[in-house]
Amino acid sequence: MADRKPIESWLTDMDGVLIHEGIPIPGADAFLKKLRESGRPFLVLTNNSIYTPRDLHARLNRMGLEVPIENIWTSALATAQFLDDQRPGGTAYVIGEAGLTTALHDIGYILTDHEPDYVVLGETRTYSFEAMTKAVRLINDGARFICTNPDETGPSTEGPLPATGAVAALITKATGKQPYFAGKPNPLMMRTGLNAIGAHSETSAMIGDRMDTDVLAGMEAGMQTFLVLTGLTRPEQVENFPYRPSKVVDSIADLVDRI
């Protein structure tokens, strides 16, 4: 097998890699500092579509982690890029928060519930039964069904919360229509992110804490993959998957010297 090319750009997941329950993971600050100083292209990714990159920049900054706005890539941005490529200047009925609606406004989309081209489902703190009912009817009337990400649950201090994937399943059950998911593990999110920073998959690496999203998406996009054990996937679970990361490390701290 041919040796991999040296890593020139880095993509890293946020939750479980850089932060955990609002607290920076040891080594995250050193990793990001070395990336900034190296001048290498990098992105911090998240499947969460609630926040804009500006929001996430401010939240990370309050935790002591400096990530420039242009180095943050969300499933909302990936979804907007996909829709802009598919149907420029289209219309959409959106269930989601500012991260998603802002991304769609920025590509020139009109948000409407009158014969939209798409129904776009993202993350929100309060899923409305009325909004879901409207989405079902619009999809039945011909709107295409798009979701930012397939995560079925999200974290909270009280325990797991229903997330986009779970609500998508409800809408699919009511319409018989499967959505197209733009976020991880769809390698589309990686490829659009790489394009955004002018990087190439052959010389890029993806760091994540989940085998079923981060590692899978990175692998399918043609990147080297690093699994950290500070998030959801435990060491004994790695062998349960039919694919492997390029390397398993304890935490982001173990990768600082790789930059």
Side-chain angles (χ1 to χ4, degrees), residues 10 19-20 29 31 38 52-53 64 70 75 95 104 110 121 128 133 144 171 177 212 235 239 243 248-249 251 254 259:
W10 293 83
I19 60 174
H20 179 68
D29 185 40
F31 182 82
S38 72
T52 67
E70 61 270 20
S75 63
I95 299 176
L104 292 176
I110 294 171
L121 174 68
S128 155
T133 300
R144 299 156 186 84
I171 294 174
K177 301 289 179 62
D212 58 346
E239 296 300 328
Y243 50 87
V248 179
V249 297
S251 77
D254 298 308
I259 300 172

Side-chain angles (χ1 to χ4, degrees), residues 2-171:
D3 291 337
R4 293 296 301 249
K5 294 180 180 179
I7 298 170
E8 297 178 359
S9 53
W10 293 83
L11 276 62
T12 175
D13 187 36
M14 187 169 68
D15 294 303
V17 179
L18 302 177
I19 60 174
H20 179 68
E21 294 183 356
I23 299 172
I25 290 171
D29 185 40
F31 182 82
L32 292 169
K33 183 172 185 288
K34 195 165 183 183
L35 272 179
R36 295 195 308 271
E37 291 174 348
S38 72
R40 295 183 185 278
F42 76 95
L43 282 178
V44 172
L45 295 94
T46 177
N47 255 0
N48 190 321
S49 64
I50 289 178
Y51 304 104
T52 67
R54 188 181 299 274
D55 296 332
L56 291 171
H57 164 77
R59 295 183 79 214
L60 290 168
N61 197 52
R62 285 196 298 271
M63 299 177 204
L65 300 178
E66 178 58 36
V67 181
I69 294 171
E70 61 270 20
N71 294 104
I72 296 173
W73 192 248
T74 71
S75 63
L77 294 176
T79 300
Q81 182 64 64
F82 169 75
L83 292 178
D84 194 34
D85 290 341
Q86 290 281 307
R87 188 180 287 261
T91 59
Y93 175 70
V94 178
I95 299 176
E97 302 270 349
L100 181 56
T101 56
T102 300
L104 292 176
H105 274 304
D106 286 347
I107 61 164
Y109 256 57
I110 294 171
L111 308 189
T112 179
D113 61 359
H114 179 68
E115 298 181 356
D117 298 317
Y118 298 96
V119 165
V120 184
L121 174 68
E123 210 73 58
T124 176
R125 300 173 187 86
T126 53
Y127 284 108
S128 155
F129 185 79
E130 180 183 358
M132 287 187 279
T133 300
K134 183 164 287 189
V136 166
R137 291 171 180 167
L138 291 171
I139 292 167
N140 282 336
D141 287 341
R144 299 156 186 84
F145 187 17
I146 305 292
C147 288
T148 56
N149 63 292
D151 301 56
E152 293 166 353
T153 60
S156 78
T157 54
E158 293 83 22
L161 296 171
T164 310
V167 178
L170 182 154
I171 294 174

